[in-house]
Amino acid sequence: MKKKLLAFVLCLAMVFSLAACTTGTTEPSGTPSASPEGTEATGGVSGTFTGSSAGMQGTITVEMTVENGVITNVELTECHESAGVCDVALERIPQQIVEHQTTTLDTVTGATFASRGIMMAAEKAAEAAGLDMDALDANAYSAQPGEAETWDADVLVVGGGGAGFSAAISAAQDGAKVILIEKSSFLGGNTMMAGGAYNAVDPEAQANMILTEAQKNTLDGYLALDPSDPALKLDVFPEWAEVLKQLQQDITDFYAANEGKTPGVDMPGFDSVSLHMWHIYTGGLREMNDGTWIASDIDLARTLAESALDTFSWLSSIGVDATVGADAGASMFTVLGAMWPRTHPVTSSTALVEALEAAAEAEGVEIYTETAATALLTDDTGRVVGAQAEQADGTEITINTTKGVVLACGGYCANPAMVKEYDKYWGDDLSDHTLTTNVGTNEGDGIVMATAIGADVTGLEVAQMMPSSSPLKGTMTDGIWGDASEQLWIDGNGNRFVDEYAERDVLAKASLALDNGIFYIVYAGPADENGVCKGATLETPGMGGTVADMVEGGHIWYGETLAELAEASATSAGGAAPAFTEEALRNVIETYNSYVENQEDPDFHKEVLSGAIDLDYIESTEGVGICISPRKASLHHTMGGLVIDTNACVLDTEGNAIPGLWAAGEVTGGVHAGNRLGGNAEADIFTFGQIAGHSAAAAE
């Protein structure tokens, strides 16, 4: 029964190509081409034929071998689908076409568009071969349920993403027998989409960094804050006043310890638990459309800020490429919407999930994919004692537990109708069909199952939108950009329109107000040690391949001079996209460069400024250029979900812990309030996943 991720060498997607195969709107289509290598034989045609169709990430081409009218082999000769996410579909669908002599099969859970793309490409090849299409249709195959099964464990973990793996590994390390089930055909969930950004307060790393003048100005601003300022809403959420008081004391102590040092020269970086908590509070403090306000639960926020670094070290101990302390200083950055350079890079999402799977297997965790939990089981006292589940072929599974269940099955951004139903924030910016960055299986299953037995929820009225998504797919692929402090965003007229260092909902709202909600990120490469961007090459990796790959796919524009870049924008999308003039591009870049030099942004008051673009170097150096990525906001993260306490226990509507039920990750609410900071998701899922696992294993 155990299913592992299958490697498929023909699909060499870049590590950043993390689009869910079930998101998007393009239906498979294509034109057949035939390349017969054999001769017609008695009983039917023989030869090799090709057909192509559209997948999620580009064209899928299959080569079909036919002998005497019988399909004997189907091989993918062109594939751009995401590694890890679509592996099962890329392996299974060709095999089943041969086995069942049909191009009509079940799609693979979590890889719908890849599955359809392969089947449609095979159909085109079959048409080119002149096969009897009615006979192929008559052979349509759908898997049939097996006999119902019963499994036993101490702890059941529902969800195979970062939170689920953390819970499973932690519970197993504590001696529990653990079963982990995953609805999709692949492991990783939204962790496969996350991009590897992890926020943690890391004083040793900060000591190896230099505090910029802009950061110093920000800290001075925090010192000047008055708790009675109505804008801070401390009258509504008075518990947070103590955090501001502690932050101001931390900053004062930091200045005293570094008296005589100069920001931007020799003053070390600064961070503290209070600063991270204050960012969680202000970053998530939001007013809903009905006039109510929402803020993070202070206890959950403190648990996250205080525990994130230890959790990151724990990830390193189980085989994840995670660096903390002095060695992390050179690599820490500010992911989009993080508000401070405390973001630790994590190994590629594919490698991260592989490391988690290996660690879980080493601890004896039993892992089942394509197995969706459908209901929680309770005894006469109301204690959760297991779950009902259903496998992709319809086989019913009963899972009995001696300790209980951990829900870690994600949010509901792939269910835009559910987001819209509860929304009190975005209004007309949302619809029942808004695209998402998420895997297609994130539909709110865990919330539905838990509320059915009395669990409470919080924060469902607001979901986060990722501003820098693909305009066509909603995914975080097909683009290129850098650290939030280096990013330069322009509208269709070539003008900056927002503080690029702001929170994600601020960025999304500003961008959605533009024509068609589309904006453009100007990219010239990561800043060097002097904070200067010196250009990108065609080999520079981005979100979904190299610059060359994305230029060829029509996703970004590239030029070795501003004149070439302007020309590329003018000829893009058949002229449907705006054409930026060389003059407009030069003006906005040079103006931004002056703000970086002066460490002051009079237009939008960007707090942390870096990444001046060295146009002289770029335009005088062969093979070095500059890019523009068109972007549009899409649904990214649901902040609301099940109410939990600091032990990850799920609470009922009376505020009592439901015995035998814990939850972690995006299925929960209360941590992020109205807006999640970029980089806090992975800190959240791993920290509370670990807590949930320990809590479940300790249950009597």
Side-chain angles (χ1 to χ4, degrees):
M1 292 297 298
K2 186 173 181 181
K3 304 178 187 288
K4 298 176 180 284
L5 291 172
L6 300 174
F8 194 76
V9 297
L10 291 175
C11 191
L12 300 177
M14 295 295 293
V15 295
F16 290 111
S17 179
L18 301 174
C21 296
T22 52
T23 58
T25 58
T26 305
E27 289 293 332
S29 62
T31 303
S33 61
S35 54
E37 295 179 354
T39 58
E40 186 167 333
T42 303
V45 69
S46 294
T48 301
F49 306 86
T50 63
S52 297
S53 183
M56 183 63 194
Q57 292 290 75
T59 300
I60 294 176
T61 299
V62 304
E63 185 175 86
M64 177 181 289
T65 302
V66 180
E67 297 180 8
N68 295 326
V70 176
I71 302 170
T72 59
N73 188 56
V74 174
E75 182 178 348
L76 276 74
T77 57
E78 181 180 6
C79 173
H80 306 278
E81 301 305 282
S82 301
V85 176
C86 299
D87 290 346
V88 174
L90 301 176
E91 179 80 10
R92 179 184 296 166
I93 298 298
Q95 290 177 349
Q96 289 189 338
I97 290 171
V98 175
E99 180 180 356
H100 300 286
Q101 295 295 296
T102 184
T103 58
T104 305
L105 301 159
D106 293 333
T107 59
V108 174
T109 307
T112 302
F113 278 85
S115 301
R116 290 175 180 168
I118 298 167
M119 285 187 274
M120 187 67 82
E123 183 176 319
K124 298 296 184 183
E127 290 175 349
L131 297 181
D132 185 337
M133 303 307 292
D134 290 338
L136 292 181
D137 290 342
N139 290 337
Y141 172 76
S142 182
Q144 299 302 304
E147 292 187 8
E149 299 181 27
T150 299
W151 304 342
D152 296 308
D154 294 327
V155 176
L156 168 65
V157 176
V158 180
F165 270 120
S166 295
I169 295 167
S170 297
Q173 287 178 333
D174 289 348
K177 177 185 178 183
V178 181
I179 289 176
L180 181 150
I181 61 174
E182 166 57 44
K183 178 180 180 180
S184 185
S185 60
F186 63 92
L187 294 168
N190 257 9
T191 305
M192 286 288 283
M193 311 294 120
Y198 186 109
N199 285 346
V201 176
D202 194 338
E204 290 186 23
Q206 290 288 345
N208 283 346
M209 302 173 69
I210 298 295
L211 192 79
T212 68
E213 292 182 37
Q215 288 173 307
K216 171 69 162 52
N217 293 337
T218 298
L219 296 181
D220 290 344
Y222 293 145
L223 280 179
L225 289 177
D226 182 351
S228 64
D229 182 350
L232 298 178
K233 294 298 173 183
L234 294 177
D235 56 331
V236 182
F237 306 103
E239 66 274 19
W240 283 91
E242 188 62 34
V243 176
L244 175 58
K245 180 180 178 181
Q246 183 62 56
L247 171 60
Q248 291 174 331
Q249 185 61 57
D250 289 345
I251 295 171
T252 299
D253 293 344
F254 171 74
Y255 284 170
N258 292 280
E259 186 175 1
K261 295 182 179 179
T262 304
V265 179
D266 59 353
M267 182 173 283
F270 169 80
D271 202 1
S272 69
V273 168
S274 64
L275 180 58
H276 194 182
M277 289 183 68
W278 189 249
H279 286 153
I280 293 172
Y281 174 65
T282 58
L285 179 67
R286 292 294 184 271
E287 183 179 15
M288 301 296 103
N289 294 335
D290 61 4
T292 60
W293 286 81
I294 186 171
S296 298
D297 179 283
I298 192 170
D299 294 326
L300 296 179
R302 179 175 287 109
T303 299
L304 176 62
E306 290 181 345
S307 305
L309 189 64
D310 286 342
T311 302
F312 203 58
S313 296
W314 173 77
L315 286 173
S316 179
S317 74
I318 63 171
V320 175
D321 184 7
T323 303
V324 301
D327 292 338
S331 59
M332 277 206 310
F333 66 107
T334 309
V335 74
L336 184 68
M339 297 182 69
W340 201 253
R342 63 171 65 91
T343 308
H344 294 66
V346 184
T347 184
S348 75
S349 295
T350 301
L352 170 61
V353 172
E354 289 174 350
L356 292 170
E357 182 184 10
E361 290 180 339
E363 296 293 343
V365 176
E366 296 180 35
I367 303 170
Y368 300 87
T369 57
E370 296 186 279
T371 306
T374 57
L376 294 170
L377 301 176
T378 58
D379 63 15
D380 293 340
T381 69
R383 181 183 183 88
V384 175
V385 293
Q388 287 294 130
E390 183 177 298
Q391 296 189 312
D393 63 3
T395 301
E396 296 290 338
I397 308 294
T398 299
I399 307 169
N400 298 317
T401 61
T402 61
K403 295 180 179 293
V405 176
V406 177
L407 294 175
C409 40
Y412 50 98
C413 271
N415 186 352
M418 184 175 177
V419 177
K420 182 67 176 175
E421 176 185 356
Y422 292 105
D423 175 65
K424 293 183 180 179
Y425 188 68
W426 294 102
D428 291 341
D429 285 332
L430 278 181
S431 76
D432 289 352
H433 306 288
T434 299
L435 297 177
T436 179
T437 65
N438 283 199
V439 294
T441 49
N442 275 19
E443 299 176 304
D445 302 349
I447 295 171
V448 172
M449 287 188 290
T451 54
I453 65 166
D456 199 7
V457 294
T458 184
L460 297 181
E461 58 267 40
V462 57
Q464 183 176 79
M465 298 188 81
M466 168 58 76
S468 52
S469 302
S470 164
L472 297 177
K473 305 173 186 175
T475 59
M476 289 192 294
T477 60
D478 308 323
I480 187 166
W481 55 91
D483 187 302
S485 65
E486 304 168 10
Q487 292 193 29
L488 172 57
W489 292 17
I490 58 177
D491 60 20
N493 296 315
N495 300 314
R496 284 181 72 220
F497 63 94
V498 72
D499 166 14
E500 300 91 343
Y501 205 74
E503 302 95 321
R504 287 178 175 175
D505 66 327
V506 174
L507 298 171
K509 280 182 175 286
S511 65
L512 288 169
L514 303 176
D515 289 345
N516 297 315
I518 297 178
F519 69 98
Y520 307 86
I521 299 178
V522 181
Y523 178 85
D528 61 18
E529 64 274 10
N530 298 312
V532 177
C533 291
K534 291 188 174 181
T537 69
L538 290 174
E539 290 75 34
T540 300
M543 303 293 282
T546 64
V547 168
D549 295 330
M550 290 181 285
V551 169
E552 181 179 358
H555 303 302
I556 70 172
W557 313 321
Y558 177 80
E560 294 193 3
T561 65
L562 287 187
E564 289 182 5
L565 184 60
E567 181 180 357
S569 74
T571 57
S572 67
F580 297 110
T581 66
E582 178 184 357
E583 180 182 8
L585 291 173
R586 192 174 300 278
N587 179 65
V588 71
I589 291 171
E590 290 181 346
T591 299
Y592 181 78
N593 285 352
S594 71
Y595 296 168
V596 175
E597 182 179 0
N598 296 323
Q599 285 293 286
E600 183 178 359
D601 174 11
D603 294 334
F604 299 101
H605 310 290
K606 188 172 183 177
E607 290 185 346
V608 181
L609 286 155
S610 64
I613 298 173
D614 191 340
L615 290 177
D616 290 339
Y617 175 83
I618 292 170
E619 297 192 312
S620 64
T621 305
E622 185 177 354
V624 175
I626 190 168
C627 308
I628 292 179
S629 289
R631 300 279 93 186
K632 184 177 182 178
S634 66
L635 285 169
H636 183 58
H637 191 100
T638 45
M639 272 75 68
L642 302 175
V643 177
I644 61 169
D645 62 18
T646 55
N647 291 317
C649 300
V650 176
L651 307 185
D652 64 19
T653 54
E654 301 298 321
N656 302 310
I658 298 176
L661 186 61
W662 302 267
E666 201 174 344
V667 73
T668 69
V671 178
H672 309 293
N675 176 69
R676 177 183 60 79
L677 300 186
N680 270 12
E682 291 202 3
D684 172 15
I685 63 175
F686 290 119
T687 295
F688 284 99
Q690 191 181 22
I691 291 171
H694 289 313
S695 296
E700 297 295 335

